[in-house]
Amino acid sequence: MLYARHHEGDPFMNTFILHLQSATQYERIENVASFVGEDDSGSFGVLAGHARMMTSLVFGLARFRTPGADWEFLALPGALLYFVDNQLHINTRRL
């Protein structure tokens, strides 16, 4: 409760930056509230402040959203996901 009240005036405290990268394209998406993807162990979610992690995403759909917005979907032919310092990096051969 104290944490929520302390940061309730700053909408960017609970968001992170999403970096989408392929061999030929790059896109930076700021103010991302959540990400849902799937690796060999199953579906998982990432929120701001998540611990550092790395995994290999399977072929299929992933999704993310910004505060107050609908889900946006990513069709991925498999990718490497790395989350560190409140930044989510997704690298694939093509976007």
Side-chain angles (χ1 to χ4, degrees):
M1 252 336 183
L2 292 174
Y3 181 81
R5 276 190 294 233
H6 178 72
H7 295 295
E8 69 185 20
D10 188 354
F12 296 100
M13 270 323 269
N14 295 318
T15 62
F16 57 89
I17 299 169
L18 173 60
H19 301 271
L20 298 173
Q21 185 171 353
S22 74
T24 60
Q25 295 177 301
Y26 171 78
E27 187 171 349
R28 177 185 169 120
I29 302 167
E30 297 196 29
N31 197 28
V32 174
S34 59
F35 172 87
V36 177
E38 185 178 350
D39 63 11
D40 285 336
S41 68
S43 183
F44 64 91
V46 175
L47 299 173
H50 195 286
R52 183 176 66 179
M53 69 173 288
M54 179 180 279
T55 190
S56 178
L57 298 174
V58 298
F59 181 91
L61 290 177
R63 63 185 180 183
F64 70 92
R65 68 183 181 114
T66 57
D70 291 332
W71 287 102
E72 295 188 51
F73 291 86
L74 302 169
L76 298 170
L80 183 62
L81 177 146
Y82 183 50
F83 189 84
V84 63
D85 297 331
N86 230 26
Q87 297 191 43
L88 179 61
H89 302 265
I90 297 177
N91 295 288
T92 184
R93 286 187 274 172
R94 60 180 177 215
L95 288 176

